[in-house]
Amino acid sequence: MMRGLDRAALATAMRGGTESAAGWPYPSLVLVALDHDGSPLLLLSGLADHTRNIAEDARAGLLFDGTAGLASPLTGARVSVLGRLARSDEPHHRARFLARHPEAVLYAGFGDFVLYRLSVERAHLVAGFGLIHWIGSDELLIPKVAIALAEQEAGIVASMNRDHAAAIQGMASPGMASPGGAAGEGGWTVTGVDPDGCDLRLGGAVARIDFDRPLDGSLDDPGSLRAAFDGLVRGEIPRGP
């Protein structure tokens, strides 16, 4: 669910010096991408209140809402992810965020914008009415992802979009589009790959193609991930819901 969403509600504690608001929870809407292991990535402006808040208190929460479009939203899934935000200068974090949000290229180079990674401590999952669980970071994240995957991701994505464009359109059905933005011109494109599946985008709409289980072999050999996607478009690898 987290990988299939491109935005979340960010909760931070209002910093000192904000008079009567100090210490109050401050919710805001943010764009989000996920690292290969599932850690949330945010591109934040230093001028924003939430960024000033985390400069004093790095603790933060992100609400990922998977209930959009449901007649009874409280029966749908959502997860609140708790952790601490820290600046990241890792090039592949920036690359993954900008691939997920290409419009952010217009302002990502401004001096006040910084990439942050949420170091997850635990999460509160509501999988439906009465299905509520606290889960640790070890249950939420992929514990080991090869560095080579980040190094080869751009080539894998380019290969998928170049060699399997028609198959991608078939897999990304209109029903997979997220609400909140109309699809743009052209076709769906893959924006990122990870051991769980791949991310797609079409204008303002995003979609997700998941494997039925993480590809364990891809954690040590990104080449096996490339082969897995070739198999996916040929219908040889099961897809998750």
Side-chain angles (χ1 to χ4, degrees), residues 45 48 50 67-69 72 93 122 127 139 155 170 173 178 183 190 197 217 219 224:
S45 168
H50 48 234
T67 69
S72 182
H93 287 165
R122 59 178 179 160
E139 299 174 275
S173 63
S178 67
V190 176
L219 304 184
S224 68

Side-chain angles (χ1 to χ4, degrees), residues 16-27:
T18 50
E19 300 179 353
S20 60
W24 281 75
Y26 176 75

